[in-house]
Amino acid sequence: DVSEHRDRLGKIDRRRQSMEWRTQWAEISRENVRYGLRGLGKSRGFTATVVATLALGIGANATMFGVIDRLLLSPPTGIVQPDDVRRLYITRGFDRGRPFTSATTTYADVSDWMAADSFEITAFSDRSVTFGRGEAARRVLATLTDANFFDLLGVAPQLGRYFTDEEDRSLAPVIVISDHMWRQELDTDTDILGSQLTVRGADFTVIGVAPPGFVGVNLRRVDAWFPLRSPANSDDSGQWETNRNDYWLRALVRISGDSVKGPEAEATTLHFAERADTSSNYDPEAVVSFAPLVAARGARASDESKVAQWLAGVSPVVLLIACANVANLLLARGLRRQREIGIRLALGVSLSRLIAQLVTESMLLAILGGLAALAVAY
């Protein structure tokens, strides 16, 4: 079959041509890389300037993105479906009628919101506590939480369990520690469950270890969690449970669905149901709102996050300036190499080969600048 034989030979020839092209391309690329490295080595001042400019421009942007990602984009680690978890805020008339948005609330208000049908709620409060005794004592950040805090966030324990509502109401001296504390300060002791740790001069029983990476819902790392009514709470009077003027808790809610308008309306209604009877001077136009779990994207964004947003807009300008400077340096170098390029063209170097060599030099500079930027960003 002459036709079939011709097709088969044609395929063999095309494969041969393809292999020859790949081999030729690889050889030319190696030559271009060697030529580029040799040329950059001869112009060390130019190379160092370009690499340093790229390193600073890229490194600064990478660093700023890390800050922006931590402050504004990524939710806290370890939380299941973090988009469904929101922070609760109350906006009311305050300070001569000017609207004021508060991130803190009272336990009595949280108790009212527990009757909601469209969302679940939990409360917590961060505070510094003293671990250990004598010279070994140290201050660590801890969190007082409702018993449903971890369940609402969907965080499963690495070891042991979390405290129960009964332990909370009985003032049980129990503690859950972070993975960081377990590994760094307790040497990953596998028998840690049931052991005693001294907090504020009292002994607490370790009942669980949080999973790796989970450090709470704020930016600062939390190393221990206690029930709200724990002896670790400096206010042991119990009056905060009914006092509607004791603003010391922050609230988290988990909603189902994309819309927050319904849950917010229900939260506002429940908020007024009890307040109307107990606080005659309470602002009748107060509104409960839910904001993203990332605090910097909420109604009470910190000054640090506002500065970070401003820097996020400035850092791309820095990168553009760095790229413009590198482009100017390459252009100036190209003008100085006009004679060299003219001689090479006169000797028969093809224009495509010459362009490939110049592009290879630029790629080598970009790679070196990127590697140096890793060190700058680190």
Side-chain angles (χ1 to χ4, degrees), residues 82-266:
D83 291 340
D84 294 340
V85 180
R86 304 293 180 102
R87 291 179 183 265
L88 184 146
Y89 295 90
I90 305 173
T91 302
R92 61 185 188 277
F94 189 73
D95 192 9
R96 298 181 181 179
R98 287 181 294 180
F100 173 78
T101 300
S102 173
T104 57
T105 185
T106 69
Y107 185 80
D109 290 326
V110 173
S111 298
D112 297 338
W113 287 315
M114 288 180 180
D117 296 322
S118 59
F119 61 87
E120 300 176 65
I121 188 168
T122 189
F124 70 98
S125 178
D126 291 340
R127 60 193 55 209
S128 181
V129 297
T130 303
F131 261 67
R133 288 189 174 92
E135 295 181 356
R138 63 197 183 282
R139 301 289 288 182
V140 302
L141 186 64
T143 300
L144 301 172
T145 74
D146 257 336
N148 68 334
F149 178 79
F150 296 99
D151 289 337
L152 186 140
L153 297 179
V155 179
Q158 179 179 187
L159 289 177
R161 61 177 178 84
Y162 299 127
F163 41 81
T164 63
D165 187 64
E166 181 180 350
E167 288 173 324
D168 182 12
R169 297 194 174 280
S170 64
L171 280 68
V174 292
I175 179 177
V176 175
I177 61 175
S178 69
D179 177 76
H180 176 269
M181 173 175 282
W182 182 50
R183 295 182 184 277
Q184 300 297 323
E185 301 189 27
L186 301 175
D187 299 325
T188 321
D189 183 7
T190 55
D191 297 326
I192 189 65
L193 298 181
S195 61
Q196 302 291 312
L197 294 179
T198 302
V199 181
R200 296 186 68 228
D203 290 333
F204 284 74
T205 302
V206 178
I207 62 172
V209 178
F214 180 73
V215 292
V217 296
N218 294 325
L219 291 177
R220 298 175 62 191
R221 188 186 72 234
V222 175
D223 279 326
W225 291 267
F226 302 92
L228 287 179
R229 298 171 182 81
S230 168
N233 189 346
S234 56
D235 183 2
D236 55 3
S237 64
Q239 296 180 359
W240 51 265
E241 296 189 44
T242 56
N243 188 351
R244 293 189 181 273
N245 293 316
D246 194 353
Y247 291 86
W248 67 287
L249 289 171
R250 296 176 185 269
L252 299 175
V253 300
R254 180 178 284 276
I255 60 176
S256 56
D258 297 331
S259 176
V260 298
K261 293 183 178 179
E264 286 178 339
E266 183 181 14

Side-chain angles (χ1 to χ4, degrees), residues 340-350:
E340 172 201 341
I341 293 173
I343 293 175
R344 295 180 64 194
L345 288 172
L347 291 174
V349 175
S350 65

Side-chain angles (χ1 to χ4, degrees), residues 327-339:
N328 287 332
L329 290 170
L330 290 173
L331 180 60
R333 186 167 186 259
L335 292 175
R336 290 196 304 270
R337 297 176 64 185
Q338 277 184 320
R339 181 173 176 175

